[in-house]
Amino acid sequence: MNPRVRFAPSPTGPLHIGGVRTALYNYLFAKKNNGTLLLRIEDTDQTRFVEGAEEYIIEAFQWLGIPFDEGVGIGGEYGPYKQSERKALYKPYAEQLVRDGWAYYAFDTPEQLDAKRKEAESQKKTFQYDANTRMGMVNSLTLPAEEVERRLTSGEHYVVRFKYPADLDIHVQDLIRGEVVINSNLLDDKVLYKSDGMPTYHLANIVDDHLMKITHVIRGEEWLPSAPLHVMLYKAFGWEAPQFAHLPLLLKPDGNGKLSKRDGDRLGFPVFPLQWHDPKSGETSSGYRESGYLPEAVINMLALLGWNPGNDQELMSLDELINLFSIDKISKAGAKFSLDKAKWFNHEYILMKPAAELRPHFRKILDEKGVTCSDEYLDAVTDLVKDRLNFLPDFWEQASYFFVAPTEYDPQALKKRWKEGTGEKLRVIDEMLCGIQPFDKDKAHDMVMQYIQDNELNMGQVLNSLRIALVGTARGPELFTMIDVIGIEEVHKRVMKAIEVVNL
RNA sequence: GCUGCGUUCUUCUAACGGUUAGGAAUCAAGAUUCUCAAUCUUGCAAUACGAGUUCGAUUCUCGUACGCAGUACCA
């Protein structure tokens, strides 16, 4: 049977990069095994709804190039794929559990529960709604049947809680961690169905996964503690449970702990795929896209944070990742995000891209700077500078002199490379270069070299002073190639200007 | 606190129970006969600790330490 997996975010804000990795692993697993990946929106908590979050999620995956086969925004035969639109469907399942003795109605108010917790806390204990305490609470186990019926029909608020059998060892088989065993006495009677008529994550995810014929649940490690509940729910419904795989967490680069939005702001890297503008707080969080990462690089980097192909290969296209992916190569321990490694990946991917594919990104930068040029010129410049870019926006810093003449000259470079008489020499060289008709960079190179030799000049001095005149500092690609690209007329202008401005 | 999960260079990680514990990023040095990058070469650097099993443990078991996660009518 072909596997069916899902990515099921809750639309409470921008998609965290850890969530992106979870989705990526689901995607790789699905594609590797000829399976189906679906997108389900888990919006059972109406109080946490955030405007625009769902659209953000969809756009993020479009940018990343991870297509879903089924789900919100796509459709499919197991819809609707948004849990709020499935609301009516969950109640009968909750009732079925109560009928079968796997759950019960509970009428305790939030205030009562709070009081219980406070009371326990004052005795340095924690209150847990479980096999030990439930008989002392207000629920359908302790109330007479008629009273329960009365409360239910009179519209009184209630929740449905799962009723764990006492002292039962629950076994969870995890594809990454092996067997995990936990005793039911340690678990609390989780709420399955809320008083607002919505299921909790626990109920909804089991019902939906079953109805949507999910075969493998691949999700973050933070879900491991509730996996026993989920296993029990499948048992209670008499359904076959999917296989579980709990992914290691993505950790912050310094110290320990889960990677959070704050770390990104603090350490200067994005934790979200796309820039996000929070409608409530008004604050903006940076995104990988806006920071100049290539989606392929982000995917490659993310794939390797917690997984490896079993060999030394690090640069892999999405197709290669799919081909190589397997769950048993996923590591157990959390992985720290590394900005240096991310930078390296992005650099490698920029290197791999032909100039024409980079063109739209750089064209945008030029537009912002008010610069126009032909595609041919842009591509020529791109080929000359792309090996010195880590991120797309580095382009201007590394290539601006191809578009605008320098307005100032680096004093340090000047001090080292511009001596008395340099101006005269440049004038001679400039004349020489202008005399080459039509211009030919090899010829130019030979002529200048010959000039240097004949006059017993220092090559480093001459060439670098010319470079400073063109770039403004001692940087940049091979000098004569640069002259060729910039064009002899513009070169002439810049040399004249430098001689005038520097004036030694 | 309790429960669970985890622990190989600074970081990401590899290693049927048998290797000089490998690769990559970072960093350093050198090479590229104009600069700065890029690139290439070389180098630095690790099995948390303690027991046990075994002819032999990075690998299996137990304990300790440390870290993380969970412990809501949130997902």
Side-chain angles (χ1 to χ4, degrees), chain A residues 182-373:
Chain A
I182 185 148
N183 189 281
S184 64
N185 286 352
L186 274 358
L187 274 9
D188 66 326
D189 289 351
K190 278 268 177 294
V191 171
L192 301 177
Y193 192 78
K194 299 184 274 187
S195 60
D196 65 357
M198 280 292 238
T200 60
Y201 168 84
H202 303 293
L203 210 220
N205 118 78
I206 267 63
V207 169
D208 286 348
D209 281 348
H210 175 253
L211 260 24
M212 294 177 187
K213 297 194 161 56
I214 298 302
T215 59
H216 300 259
V217 171
I218 304 169
R219 78 237 292 191
E221 191 185 350
E222 66 268 27
W223 291 110
L224 193 52
S226 51
L229 202 221
H230 303 156
V231 168
M232 286 306 290
L233 281 169
Y234 282 105
K235 182 183 260 189
F237 280 121
W239 296 336
E240 192 191 341
Q243 298 207 260
F244 293 103
H246 289 94
L247 268 22
L249 262 20
L250 239 42
L251 273 19
K252 61 178 80 178
D254 61 339
N256 293 297
K258 220 164 38 158
L259 184 61
S260 74
K261 189 176 122 221
R262 295 230 176 285
D263 301 316
D265 299 340
R266 189 168 51 85
L267 272 7
F269 63 88
V271 288
F272 302 118
L274 273 33
Q275 190 177 82
W276 167 257
H277 186 73
D278 193 275
K280 279 185 199 134
S281 68
E283 65 180 319
T284 302
S285 306
S286 65
Y288 281 87
R289 181 177 64 183
E290 290 73 15
S291 299
Y293 284 82
L294 260 11
E296 298 91 329
V298 175
I299 296 238
N300 198 152
M301 167 198 76
L302 243 27
L304 255 22
L305 240 33
W307 172 85
N308 74 85
N311 56 39
D312 290 340
Q313 201 178 354
E314 292 207 273
L315 262 9
M316 286 164 281
S317 68
L318 197 50
D319 283 343
E320 284 175 291
L321 287 172
I322 290 169
N323 200 255
L324 264 15
F325 190 78
S326 94
I327 287 185
D328 52 51
K329 286 254 183 295
I330 294 175
S331 39
K332 295 183 175 77
K336 281 186 189 174
F337 175 91
S338 160
L339 180 58
D340 278 326
K341 200 75 184 243
K343 196 189 278 184
W344 177 78
F345 270 113
N346 210 54
H347 176 253
E348 292 297 321
Y349 274 86
I350 288 177
L351 243 38
M352 272 187 254
K353 286 257 182 205
E357 275 182 53
L358 261 8
R359 200 190 292 151
H361 296 109
F362 298 151
R363 181 62 74 190
K364 219 180 117 203
I365 293 172
L366 294 182
D367 287 347
E368 281 163 17
K369 298 288 179 183
V371 170
T372 54
C373 72

Side-chain angles (χ1 to χ4, degrees), chain A residues 11-28:
Chain A
T12 52
L15 188 60
H16 188 275
I17 200 69
V20 173
R21 191 196 56 172
T22 301
L24 174 62
Y25 284 11
N26 272 285
Y27 172 77
L28 296 176

Side-chain angles (χ1 to χ4, degrees), chain A residues 391-403:
Chain A
F391 302 111
L392 264 12
D394 294 346
F395 180 75
W396 185 251
E397 194 196 326
Q398 296 297 337
S400 62
Y401 57 86
F402 281 105
F403 306 98

